[in-house]
Amino acid sequence: DMQTSSRKLDHLQICCNKQVEAGRAGFEDVRLAHAALPELDLNGIRLQTHFLGAELGSPLFIAAMTGGHPATTEVNQRLARVAEKFRLGMGVGSQRAALEHPELEESFTVVRDEAPHAFLCANLGAVQLRDHGAEWAERAVEMIEADALCIHLNFLQEATQPEGDHDARGCLAAIADLCRDFKTPVIIKETGAGISAETARLIWGAGAAAIDLGGAGGTSWAAVEVERTGGDEALKALGQCFLGWGIPTVVSLCEVAGSGPVIATGGVRNGIDIARAIALGADLGGMALPLLRPAMESEEALEQTVRAFLRELRVAMFLTGSGSVRDLAHARTYITGATRQMLGK
Ligand code: FNR
């Protein structure tokens, strides 16, 4: 059956047309210390950075979104072109549908075709990894000649969707088995509920190369699934109950920062948020939803959006006296409000 494939299209359309954001990621609680005397040339600021050995044009990462349905090919093509043009790292959406139905591969292979030099991340769910093992992981990487493999954790979504996998046992062991002798770096990513300090320890212990926090406060998969419940009122109520679930991205970042390479995703909504994330210890700032609507519109719209975010990042770097991403990592922050309370300081 093509259930996985049609679900991918549902998700794209719901995320584009409905209110799927819930809660706060905490970026509004983070203020960067202003440098009134930056002693820099705004136009000379370097956005380039490194991640897992790759050279990237900037720390803006295009988070996993799509592929797996013929109608998603064009969106992935636009995302890939912009990734190539700006030398951005990019993740593709879950490749499960194409692994089950190879005729759907084109919606993913288009990404490598359009972005021959980009740092690309393949994507597979932890449940699929557990059930199909390293063979699927290898096929996912080969499909797009990926530079890294993201294994996503999405048990909030699984628990609130009608066709979800409700048995999470064995995923950590599957991840550890994979990391033991897989040649491609493995990134473990959440998808909107965040990674705690305790979970991060399990993930590093399993041998992962990096963590993508996928914190709460941006796209909420409970909210997405609420839109897909059809007439099932009980399932809808369940999803609504969990709209605010999860560790806000900024809190998750403060718990995980310094323990290994980190991508901060979830509610990153502008260039200042990317700067805030880096100042708090992230290596990259990931965005999904803010890039989706422009990517569904046109390549020009997407390019304009990315340019605006990079300009905001550049100005934030200028105003913190940071000539490079490495300097920005040392910028001082003030943390206020609920974020400060959750961090207990
Ligand atoms: C996603 N995300 C996602 N993640 C993943 O690992 N595999 C996937 O297939 C998808 N699919 C997907 C589709 C759409 C339409 C969206 C908006 C998102 C999750 C995404 O990578 C990210 O972790 C969250 O969306 C949080 O970031 P934002 O949207 O708040 O910037």
Side-chain angles (χ1 to χ4, degrees), residues 8 11-13 15-16 20-21 63-66 92-95 123-124 150-153 189-192 212 214-215 217-221 265-269 286-290 292:
K8 291 294 130 188
H11 285 158
L12 216 57
Q13 281 159 352
C15 288
C16 198
V20 294
E21 291 179 278
M65 269 183 284
T66 199
V92 299
S94 171
Q95 288 164 269
N123 190 293
L124 203 57
C150 287
I151 300 294
H152 70 255
L153 311 174
K189 79 181 286 281
E190 239 292 345
T191 47
D212 183 333
T219 303
S220 155
W221 284 96
T265 308
V268 174
R269 291 297 174 261
M287 289 183 170
L289 198 63
L292 180 63

Side-chain angles (χ1 to χ4, degrees), residues 30-115:
V30 182
R31 197 170 279 259
L32 290 158
H34 175 65
L37 276 168
E39 289 291 320
L40 289 169
D41 174 5
L42 176 61
N43 298 314
I45 286 170
R46 296 179 308 281
L47 298 187
Q48 294 92 317
T49 191
H50 288 87
F51 188 69
L52 299 181
E55 268 182 53
L56 302 177
S58 90
L60 165 56
F61 181 81
I62 302 175
M65 269 183 284
T66 199
H69 187 286
T72 65
T73 304
E74 201 178 9
V75 175
N76 262 348
Q77 180 179 45
R78 290 173 185 149
L79 290 168
R81 285 197 186 167
V82 168
E84 179 74 12
K85 181 162 189 171
F86 293 88
R87 280 186 298 131
L88 305 180
M90 171 180 170
V92 299
S94 171
Q95 288 164 269
R96 175 185 180 180
L99 291 164
E100 288 170 347
H101 302 280
E103 68 272 21
L104 296 171
E105 279 184 13
E106 198 202 336
S107 58
F108 293 104
T109 55
V110 66
V111 173
R112 182 50 90 192
D113 294 344
E114 297 289 348

